[in-house]
Amino acid sequence: MALKGSAVLTWGDSCSNNPSRLVSNRVKNLNTANNFVCFDWFSGNRATKSVEDENPAKPTIENHVSKGLYQDLSLTSLPKPLTVADLTVTPNNDTKVRISFKGLPGSYSEEAALKAYPKCETVPCNEFEDVFKAVELWLADKAVLPIENSSSGSIHRNYDLLLCHRLHIMGEVQLVSDLCLLALPGIRTEQLKRVLSHPQALASSDVFLSKLGVAVENVEDTAGAAQYVASNGLMDAGVIASARAAEIYGLNILANRVQDDPGYITRFLVLARDPIIPRIDVPFKTSIVFTLDEGPGVLFKALAVFASREINLTKIESRPQRKKPLSALDNFGNAKYFDYLFYIDFEASMAEPRAQSALGHLQEMTPFLRVLGCYPMETSL
Ligand SMILES: O=C(O)C(=O)C[C@]1(C(=O)O)C=C[C@@H](O)C=C1
């Protein structure tokens, strides 16, 4: 099923970021010898079973032939053997995939999906939770999710959701969001009394909006603000949104590139049900999440596993463990410490021995470790 236009997917929201809820989601059918170490980590589960245990009925050529799959085939129509390149779907691949995103058509998240997959069919969703569920329920093939931006940093809600869902990061997209001031046709800037948009877009054009001297109103997404102003014929209201939103909702662009920082960038993750096979022929990044026991220098020691192998970290984020917020009670039952989850992105592929040994070393000191994804780095804007 695919949703078009302003139909938006929605489900009830329920989630906790407790790692103990995670169920093993070991990758199946990727049983080549050099993949194992890393793929066991995708589950975040310490108990390890062999891949063969999970794959009792492996497809074999004999099975296919006995089912007649290879009968009556001329040489030219024989299927080509799969290669790593076939299994690794990278952004910029033009296949018609369905991509879920939060917001209405014309939002920056949709623009990010179209940047990664120019011919994709986009699936608008109401909430971030729905963006994940659309992929989990096979309504979409992949999801695009904003994770951080250059003006206010991490989008914390999405870090939490990455952990309580079991999708894998398979790519990243960096988008320079050019923010525009839009209004109904015929309306001039001086007539505006208020401007509606996503809180992040409003915050990122603070200098411009302060000069205008208008009130600001938060809306769920930039394109939603454009649709609201257009469909209600609001003559006193402007919108901060994309040029594409202006076109879709019939608004005029009163000012272009109104963001305070001309190089304002949002980084999005591309998520899928299965991980991609890590490679070494292009630069790869790996994202992980782990917990640490309490003690002096534990984070220092955890980070040293990367430093000692010359692995560059590009991001570190900590989030409270909501289901287990406090640890180390003293004799009077007073909690002494907050418990945290640490999210790290590092510049190495899980196909590299140095990344595998770093994670092996880290695993020795962590009660919980999960690989969220290993994916090609976006190297251009
Ligand atoms: O509202 C949108 O258009 C979005 O795609 C969301 C979002 C965000 O979550 O930060 C993405 C980029 C823009 O800078 C503003 C908002």
mmCIF file of all heavy atoms in Angstrom, residues 37 41 280 309 311 348-360:
data_model
loop_
_atom_site.group_PDB
_atom_site.id
_atom_site.type_symbol
_atom_site.label_atom_id
_atom_site.label_comp_id
_atom_site.label_asym_id
_atom_site.label_seq_id
_atom_site.Cartn_x
_atom_site.Cartn_y
_atom_site.Cartn_z
ATOM 1 N N VAL A 37 31.202 -11.276 12.902
ATOM 2 C CA VAL A 37 31.493 -10.571 14.111
ATOM 3 C C VAL A 37 30.574 -9.375 14.215
ATOM 4 O O VAL A 37 29.918 -9.182 15.215
ATOM 5 C CB VAL A 37 32.952 -10.143 14.092
ATOM 6 C CG1 VAL A 37 33.344 -9.597 15.396
ATOM 7 C CG2 VAL A 37 33.815 -11.273 13.688
ATOM 8 N N TRP A 41 26.421 -8.075 16.508
ATOM 9 C CA TRP A 41 26.230 -6.871 17.308
ATOM 10 C C TRP A 41 24.968 -6.119 16.941
ATOM 11 O O TRP A 41 24.511 -5.288 17.687
ATOM 12 C CB TRP A 41 27.440 -5.946 17.162
ATOM 13 C CG TRP A 41 28.590 -6.388 17.974
ATOM 14 C CD1 TRP A 41 28.555 -6.769 19.278
ATOM 15 C CD2 TRP A 41 29.936 -6.502 17.557
ATOM 16 N NE1 TRP A 41 29.799 -7.101 19.687
ATOM 17 C CE2 TRP A 41 30.679 -6.939 18.654
ATOM 18 C CE3 TRP A 41 30.594 -6.256 16.353
ATOM 19 C CZ2 TRP A 41 32.036 -7.150 18.605
ATOM 20 C CZ3 TRP A 41 31.944 -6.459 16.306
ATOM 21 C CH2 TRP A 41 32.655 -6.901 17.418
ATOM 22 N N ILE A 280 34.575 -1.727 2.030
ATOM 23 C CA ILE A 280 35.768 -0.917 2.312
ATOM 24 C C ILE A 280 36.214 -0.109 1.096
ATOM 25 O O ILE A 280 37.170 0.644 1.167
ATOM 26 C CB ILE A 280 36.951 -1.778 2.836
ATOM 27 C CG1 ILE A 280 37.178 -2.977 1.924
ATOM 28 C CG2 ILE A 280 36.741 -2.219 4.268
ATOM 29 C CD1 ILE A 280 38.463 -3.713 2.225
ATOM 30 N N ARG A 309 43.121 2.759 17.946
ATOM 31 C CA ARG A 309 43.128 2.169 16.588
ATOM 32 C C ARG A 309 43.008 3.243 15.503
ATOM 33 O O ARG A 309 42.692 2.935 14.349
ATOM 34 C CB ARG A 309 41.983 1.156 16.453
ATOM 35 C CG ARG A 309 42.213 -0.077 17.307
ATOM 36 C CD ARG A 309 40.972 -0.935 17.413
ATOM 37 N NE ARG A 309 41.224 -2.119 18.224
ATOM 38 C CZ ARG A 309 41.129 -2.180 19.558
ATOM 39 N NH1 ARG A 309 40.772 -1.103 20.240
ATOM 40 N NH2 ARG A 309 41.394 -3.292 20.204
ATOM 41 N N ILE A 311 40.764 5.398 14.998
ATOM 42 C CA ILE A 311 39.415 5.507 14.414
ATOM 43 C C ILE A 311 38.808 6.837 14.855
ATOM 44 O O ILE A 311 38.693 7.105 16.062
ATOM 45 C CB ILE A 311 38.514 4.326 14.846
ATOM 46 C CG1 ILE A 311 39.092 3.008 14.328
ATOM 47 C CG2 ILE A 311 37.081 4.524 14.355
ATOM 48 C CD1 ILE A 311 38.331 1.760 14.770
ATOM 49 N N ALA A 348 34.626 4.236 10.240
ATOM 50 C CA ALA A 348 35.261 2.969 9.843
ATOM 51 C C ALA A 348 34.134 2.025 9.453
ATOM 52 O O ALA A 348 32.997 2.176 9.911
ATOM 53 C CB ALA A 348 36.092 2.378 10.962
ATOM 54 N N SER A 349 34.478 1.069 8.616
ATOM 55 C CA SER A 349 33.485 0.072 8.191
ATOM 56 C C SER A 349 33.631 -1.171 9.047
ATOM 57 O O SER A 349 34.749 -1.549 9.430
ATOM 58 C CB SER A 349 33.738 -0.282 6.724
ATOM 59 O OG SER A 349 33.059 -1.457 6.388
ATOM 60 N N MET A 350 32.513 -1.822 9.309
ATOM 61 C CA MET A 350 32.574 -3.065 10.085
ATOM 62 C C MET A 350 33.265 -4.179 9.305
ATOM 63 O O MET A 350 33.526 -5.244 9.847
ATOM 64 C CB MET A 350 31.169 -3.501 10.503
ATOM 65 C CG MET A 350 30.583 -2.664 11.623
ATOM 66 S SD MET A 350 31.626 -2.641 13.092
ATOM 67 C CE MET A 350 31.622 -4.354 13.520
ATOM 68 N N ALA A 351 33.563 -3.925 8.036
ATOM 69 C CA ALA A 351 34.343 -4.905 7.270
ATOM 70 C C ALA A 351 35.838 -4.758 7.576
ATOM 71 O O ALA A 351 36.640 -5.573 7.142
ATOM 72 C CB ALA A 351 34.087 -4.714 5.781
ATOM 73 N N GLU A 352 36.218 -3.710 8.290
ATOM 74 C CA GLU A 352 37.644 -3.489 8.614
ATOM 75 C C GLU A 352 37.988 -4.186 9.929
ATOM 76 O O GLU A 352 37.273 -4.008 10.927
ATOM 77 C CB GLU A 352 37.922 -1.998 8.787
ATOM 78 C CG GLU A 352 37.829 -1.179 7.527
ATOM 79 C CD GLU A 352 38.087 0.294 7.836
ATOM 80 O OE1 GLU A 352 39.204 0.644 8.255
ATOM 81 O OE2 GLU A 352 37.147 1.094 7.688
ATOM 82 N N PRO A 353 39.093 -4.924 9.959
ATOM 83 C CA PRO A 353 39.491 -5.601 11.195
ATOM 84 C C PRO A 353 39.627 -4.644 12.383
ATOM 85 O O PRO A 353 39.269 -4.978 13.499
ATOM 86 C CB PRO A 353 40.841 -6.227 10.837
ATOM 87 C CG PRO A 353 40.795 -6.389 9.349
ATOM 88 C CD PRO A 353 39.968 -5.258 8.829
ATOM 89 N N ARG A 354 40.098 -3.393 12.136
ATOM 90 C CA ARG A 354 40.299 -2.475 13.268
ATOM 91 C C ARG A 354 38.945 -2.113 13.913
ATOM 92 O O ARG A 354 38.852 -1.942 15.122
ATOM 93 C CB ARG A 354 41.076 -1.217 12.851
ATOM 94 C CG ARG A 354 40.366 -0.375 11.840
ATOM 95 C CD ARG A 354 41.113 0.891 11.471
ATOM 96 N NE ARG A 354 40.300 1.636 10.518
ATOM 97 C CZ ARG A 354 40.221 2.939 10.451
ATOM 98 N NH1 ARG A 354 40.936 3.684 11.269
ATOM 99 N NH2 ARG A 354 39.449 3.519 9.558
ATOM 100 N N ALA A 355 37.877 -2.013 13.090
ATOM 101 C CA ALA A 355 36.557 -1.699 13.653
ATOM 102 C C ALA A 355 36.019 -2.901 14.423
ATOM 103 O O ALA A 355 35.442 -2.766 15.500
ATOM 104 C CB ALA A 355 35.591 -1.316 12.534
ATOM 105 N N GLN A 356 36.241 -4.096 13.876
ATOM 106 C CA GLN A 356 35.769 -5.306 14.564
ATOM 107 C C GLN A 356 36.490 -5.482 15.896
ATOM 108 O O GLN A 356 35.870 -5.809 16.905
ATOM 109 C CB GLN A 356 35.988 -6.529 13.677
ATOM 110 C CG GLN A 356 35.172 -6.458 12.393
ATOM 111 C CD GLN A 356 35.279 -7.710 11.545
ATOM 112 O OE1 GLN A 356 35.852 -8.711 11.964
ATOM 113 N NE2 GLN A 356 34.725 -7.661 10.359
ATOM 114 N N SER A 357 37.803 -5.226 15.891
ATOM 115 C CA SER A 357 38.515 -5.436 17.154
ATOM 116 C C SER A 357 38.168 -4.334 18.153
ATOM 117 O O SER A 357 38.078 -4.582 19.349
ATOM 118 C CB SER A 357 40.020 -5.583 16.932
ATOM 119 O OG SER A 357 40.600 -4.337 16.686
ATOM 120 N N ALA A 358 37.906 -3.111 17.661
ATOM 121 C CA ALA A 358 37.498 -2.036 18.590
ATOM 122 C C ALA A 358 36.178 -2.409 19.265
ATOM 123 O O ALA A 358 36.015 -2.269 20.480
ATOM 124 C CB ALA A 358 37.358 -0.715 17.832
ATOM 125 N N LEU A 359 35.238 -2.925 18.482
ATOM 126 C CA LEU A 359 33.940 -3.282 19.075
ATOM 127 C C LEU A 359 34.065 -4.506 19.977
ATOM 128 O O LEU A 359 33.383 -4.607 20.996
ATOM 129 C CB LEU A 359 32.890 -3.509 17.996
ATOM 130 C CG LEU A 359 32.364 -2.257 17.293
ATOM 131 C CD1 LEU A 359 31.013 -2.521 16.638
ATOM 132 C CD2 LEU A 359 32.217 -1.077 18.244
ATOM 133 N N GLY A 360 34.944 -5.433 19.607
ATOM 134 C CA GLY A 360 35.178 -6.601 20.466
ATOM 135 C C GLY A 360 35.709 -6.153 21.825
ATOM 136 O O GLY A 360 35.267 -6.612 22.873
#
